């Protein structure tokens, strides 16, 4: 597994702004979207191209175009929905596979409540989008689900990740690449990332 922590100064700047205790719902949503654009670009740099004939104004040329179907984006409800518009602005033809998982506040185990994976997922790369990778339980359940559904090529994008979550994914799914805005220090006893963002879903949906 490759773990790419973004080096882009705008990513670092925007993650810092997201941490502001007094941030409005509007600003949190806007920054989440902007970061999703930047990180989706980073996560798609290795898409395969093939030269195909294209008729342009000066005649027929051999033009580099995507060789395969566009990836399916996999937002994890709820918070992952905040990243969907930004990711779709880079992959406008992507099909979307929605996964509903909610962490139990006591056990920190993910509870599954919805899933709708595109039926041709075995022919596409999947890109998971979720702002937070904490204990790793939610991402692990999503990776297991995608693989059980036949998906062979998976990447995941997180705005902020804890070392604990990265380690669990590395051990269980060494073939999956992670694209991360910022790797934070640790988890607290309640499984929240420190310094982190707090509850990203609550901040995006205004349910604080
Ligand atoms: O790595 P983990 O320890 O599993 O935690 C990460 C998960 O927690 C958050 O979702 P949450 O359960 O709060 O649901 P929500 O998006 O509905 O708020 C977050 O968006 C991830 O999906
Ligand atoms: O810090 C955390 C951990 C899990 N989920 C969040 O939204 N934030
Ligand atoms: Mg939440």
């Amino acid at each position: 597994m490759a773990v790419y922590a973004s080096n882009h100064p705008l990513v670092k700047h925007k993650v810092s702004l997201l941490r502001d205790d007094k941030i409005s719902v509007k600003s949190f949503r806007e920054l989440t979207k902007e970061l999703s654009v930047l990180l989706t670009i980073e996560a798609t740099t290795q898409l395969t191209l093939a030269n195909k004939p294209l008729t342009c104004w000066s005649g027929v040329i051999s033009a580099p175009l995507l060789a395969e179907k566009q990836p399916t984006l996999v937002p994890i409800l709820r918070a992952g929905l905040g990243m969907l518009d930004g990711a779709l602005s880079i992959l406008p033809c992507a099909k979307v596979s929605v996964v509903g998982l909610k962490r139990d506040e006591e056990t920190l185990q993910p509870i599954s409540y919805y899933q709708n994976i595109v039926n041709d997922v075995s022919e596409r790369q999947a890109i998971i989008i979720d702002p937070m990778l904490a204990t790793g339980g939610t991402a692990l359940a999503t990776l297991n689900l995608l693989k059980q559904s036949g998906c062979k090529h998976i990447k995941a994008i997180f705005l902020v990740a804890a070392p604990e979550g990265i380690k669990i994914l590395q051990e269980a799914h060494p073939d999956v690449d992670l694209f991360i805005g910022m790797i934070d220090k640790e988890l607290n006893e309640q499984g929240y990332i420190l310094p982190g963002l707090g509850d990203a879903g609550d901040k995006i949906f205004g349910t604080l």
Side-chain angles (χ1 to χ4, degrees):
M1 168 185 281
V3 179
Y4 300 96
S6 178
N7 260 326
H8 201 303
L10 284 175
V11 171
K12 293 176 198 267
H13 174 75
K14 288 172 194 289
V15 170
S16 298
L17 294 181
L18 270 184
R19 298 190 199 274
D20 188 332
D21 193 28
K22 306 235 168 5
I23 193 167
S24 65
V25 171
K26 179 173 183 284
S27 297
F28 198 94
R29 284 180 185 148
E30 286 169 354
L31 287 163
T32 296
K33 181 175 177 180
E34 292 161 14
L35 281 161
S36 305
V37 171
L38 290 163
L39 292 173
T40 303
I41 291 171
E42 294 192 15
T44 50
T45 54
Q46 289 161 11
L47 286 179
T48 316
L49 293 170
N51 284 327
K52 299 178 187 174
L54 181 88
T55 306
C56 68
W57 74 277
S58 56
V60 177
I61 59 166
S62 176
L65 291 162
L66 289 180
E68 291 158 17
K69 290 181 176 181
Q70 282 207 1
T72 179
L73 290 166
V74 187
I76 303 180
L77 302 180
R78 290 174 301 171
L81 283 185
M83 298 174 67
L84 185 58
D85 278 356
L88 279 174
S89 71
I90 303 302
L91 292 167
C93 300
K95 291 190 174 184
V96 179
S97 302
V98 176
V99 173
L101 287 164
K102 171 93 187 85
R103 259 190 356 169
D104 180 286
E105 283 175 17
E106 299 294 322
T107 66
L108 301 184
Q109 292 306 305
I111 301 166
S112 170
Y113 59 90
Y114 183 77
Q115 58 191 60
N116 195 335
I117 308 289
V118 296
N119 53 19
D120 60 353
V121 73
S122 61
E123 298 162 32
R124 293 176 188 270
Q125 183 183 122
I127 303 180
I128 296 170
I129 48 177
D130 191 334
M132 312 301 280
L133 174 66
T135 65
T138 302
L140 200 55
T142 307
L143 287 168
N144 290 338
L145 172 66
L146 286 169
K147 287 193 177 173
Q148 281 157 18
S149 305
C151 190
K152 291 180 277 299
H153 304 288
I154 310 176
K155 298 188 191 305
I157 302 175
F158 304 98
L159 304 190
V160 176
E164 293 90 331
I166 294 172
K167 185 163 180 281
I168 281 194
L169 297 193
Q170 275 178 320
E171 284 167 4
H173 294 283
D175 55 311
V176 174
D177 292 339
L178 308 184
F179 295 83
I180 296 168
M182 186 73 74
I183 300 176
D184 271 6
K185 191 159 176 274
E186 60 190 351
L187 296 178
N188 70 10
E189 284 175 5
Q190 289 76 41
Y192 278 85
I193 302 173
L194 297 177
L197 305 177
D199 191 300
D202 281 343
K203 291 190 169 177
I204 290 167
F205 286 90
T207 48
L208 278 169

